[in-house]
Amino acid sequence: MKFHESVGPNPRVVRWFLKEKGLEVESAMVDIIAGENRLAEYLQKNPVGQTPALELDNGVFLTEITAICEYLEELHPTPALIGETPLERAETRMWCRRMDLNIFEPLLNGFRFSDGLPLFESRLHCIPQAADDLKQTAQEQLTWLDGQLEGKAYVVGDRFTLADIMLYTLIEFGQREGQPFDHEKLATLAAWEQRIASERPHADGVAHVDELD
């Protein structure tokens, strides 16, 4: 296998997932700043033109972080980062879906449509006038999540999962790119963040450079 990665939060999720699994996979860095991911050679492999992508030995390319991570978990089920039982896997997928739709997308698009506009305006349909509302939506969802974390060690309950990796990577990106959450107001989320940082050796052990994916 070969892991096609770049700077940015999405590749970082998979990179962290691999570290938690103890997996070493050949990697190839895609220069998204220079637009390498939009060139014909890369688009032939990955028509959505994004990172990350996992190239399998049979030539198949998998994209989307949840699909890549689920494939890796199928191959290497221990330690379980999605789940050991049908219910555990369903719960993790439910929370990952919530992260993707309710927090990841508005926060990242809020960045792409504002501070990241010079990089993305020629690559995506950008809506600058929506940036502030998207950022506000992400913050509202983080406030909702703060309540959902009450009494739980991790997003899914008492087990560390892909959902925690996604959330930690996302909020760190937000803090680096002008969308921090209010640590005093969202004290439960802040305590969770501190717990992940102190407990998981790979939380800050994977390179993120300037998060721009």
Side-chain angles (χ1 to χ4, degrees):
M1 292 188 291
K2 180 184 289 186
F3 178 44
H4 296 263
E5 58 174 323
S6 69
V7 298
N10 289 335
R12 188 179 179 214
V13 168
V14 178
R15 201 178 305 127
W16 184 352
F17 192 88
L18 286 166
K19 291 286 188 181
E20 292 282 346
K21 289 285 187 182
L23 299 175
E24 294 290 338
V25 176
E26 179 185 0
S27 65
M29 186 63 68
V30 180
D31 188 349
I32 64 169
I33 306 301
E36 184 180 351
N37 57 315
R38 298 293 169 171
L39 299 178
E41 181 180 359
Y42 186 77
L43 291 173
Q44 288 176 356
K45 304 171 184 178
N46 180 6
V48 298
Q50 297 175 342
T51 57
L54 186 66
E55 181 181 359
L56 308 185
D57 293 341
N58 61 4
V60 170
F61 278 77
L62 294 178
T63 63
E64 310 302 335
I65 57 177
T66 50
I68 292 171
C69 291
E70 288 198 8
Y71 175 76
L72 292 170
E73 176 117 338
E74 291 283 340
L75 294 180
H76 306 277
T78 305
L81 296 175
I82 296 176
E84 295 181 344
T85 68
L87 177 57
E88 286 185 351
R89 290 190 289 272
E91 288 177 327
T92 303
R93 289 165 180 153
M94 173 181 72
W95 279 103
C96 286
R97 180 67 169 167
R98 289 170 173 171
M99 300 293 175
D100 267 335
L101 291 180
N102 299 335
I103 305 174
F104 239 110
E105 284 305 309
L107 190 148
L108 291 178
N109 280 328
F111 166 74
R112 291 168 180 143
F113 298 169
S114 57
D115 294 342
L117 189 62
L119 176 64
F120 290 101
E121 61 185 345
S122 63
R123 307 180 186 190
L124 305 172
H125 177 67
C126 293
I127 312 172
Q129 62 270 28
D132 288 344
D133 286 341
L134 288 167
K135 292 177 182 180
Q136 181 178 340
T137 296
Q139 293 299 320
E140 290 171 353
Q141 289 298 318
L142 286 172
T143 299
W144 174 82
L145 182 61
D146 181 77
Q148 296 299 308
L149 288 172
E150 188 71 38
K152 297 195 297 185
Y154 304 106
V155 172
V156 183
D158 61 357
R159 57 193 177 91
F160 177 81
T161 69
L162 174 60
D164 295 287
I165 295 175
M166 291 175 66
L167 178 59
Y168 187 92
T169 302
L170 175 71
I171 61 176
E172 188 190 61
F173 173 83
Q175 287 165 175
R176 290 166 57 85
E177 300 297 341
Q179 296 184 64
F181 71 91
D182 187 329
H183 283 64
E184 183 175 345
K185 178 182 177 182
L186 306 186
T188 304
L189 179 60
W192 169 89
E193 179 190 26
Q194 181 58 44
R195 184 163 55 253
I196 297 299
S198 62
E199 290 182 358
R200 310 310 298 190
H202 302 300
D204 293 308
V206 287
H208 43 64
V209 198
D210 290 316
E211 306 286 29
L212 288 171
D213 178 52

